[in-house]
Amino acid sequence: GSEMCIRDRVRTLPDVDESYPDTLVGAEIPEYIAREKADAYRTMMQPGELLITADTIVWMDGKVLGKPEGREGAIEMLRALSGKFTASSEVLFDVLSEDEILYYVDRYRPMDKAGAYGVQEWIGYIGVKSISGSFYNIMGLPIQKLYGELKKL
């Protein structure tokens, strides 16, 4: 098989509005935000360039766990996830002790992460019992799915 070789450049556009209509549910939310990001970049694109945007949410019990507000918000989110799961790629959390939650929040500062956790960090090693679906999707970009779409081009 041939290896896929792509020249890529990561560009960050500051201050893309990540709010969304409150009528959206589940997967509609990250799809909407990814489209908003794409619209913001469109003017910067050069001929022959392909733009890939992505967004991640944690959806639990019919609502979004977004980026937590401060240390207390992160602690609350991890307490809510403890012993539960999130869907699409399904993540089953083991029961997290209060000490484990406090250690993770204070050491890793997950305030920039949906659901207040990074599956590839310490919390994932000790707290995630099982994953059904794409690990990379949980990290933020479903690479295998993306590769399949790129091959079609």
Side-chain angles (χ1 to χ4, degrees):
S2 65
E3 232 173 83
M4 189 170 144
C5 229
I6 298 177
R7 281 189 334 181
D8 67 281
R9 230 179 11 211
V10 176
R11 285 196 209 140
T12 329
L13 196 67
D15 303 327
V16 174
D17 180 16
E18 292 198 7
S19 61
Y20 53 89
D22 57 15
T23 53
L24 299 181
V25 294
E28 296 169 351
I29 296 166
E31 287 168 9
Y32 176 89
I33 295 170
R35 276 195 302 272
E36 291 290 297
K37 290 177 181 177
D39 289 342
Y41 280 92
R42 199 159 277 135
T43 57
M44 299 164 55
M45 289 185 69
Q46 304 299 313
E49 282 188 332
L50 171 69
L51 173 67
I52 300 165
T53 58
D55 192 70
T56 303
I57 62 164
V58 174
W59 181 259
M60 189 182 82
D61 298 337
K63 65 177 196 285
V64 172
L65 295 187
K67 294 174 182 171
E69 289 189 24
R71 179 177 185 269
E72 286 308 308
I75 291 166
E76 284 305 309
M77 279 186 187
L78 289 166
R79 282 182 187 143
L81 286 170
S82 175
K84 299 218 181 74
F85 65 89
T86 61
S88 203
S89 288
E90 215 165 81
V91 180
L92 178 62
F93 266 89
D94 201 351
V95 175
L96 302 170
S97 75
E98 193 67 7
D99 283 346
E100 288 165 342
I101 289 171
L102 297 178
Y103 171 83
Y104 176 68
V105 170
D106 290 337
R107 177 110 193 254
Y108 289 86
R109 318 280 311 147
M111 279 54 107
D112 62 334
K113 295 191 169 29
Y117 77 96
V119 72
Q120 73 280 21
E121 295 177 340
W122 180 82
I123 199 83
Y125 307 146
I126 66 104
V128 172
K129 259 185 166 166
S130 69
I131 288 173
S132 126
S134 165
F135 175 78
Y136 294 102
N137 184 41
I138 298 160
M139 276 182 60
L141 188 65
I143 293 168
Q144 182 272 332
K145 187 174 181 184
L146 173 62
Y147 179 71
E149 292 298 314
L150 289 174
K151 281 203 308 193
K152 293 177 191 172
L153 294 177

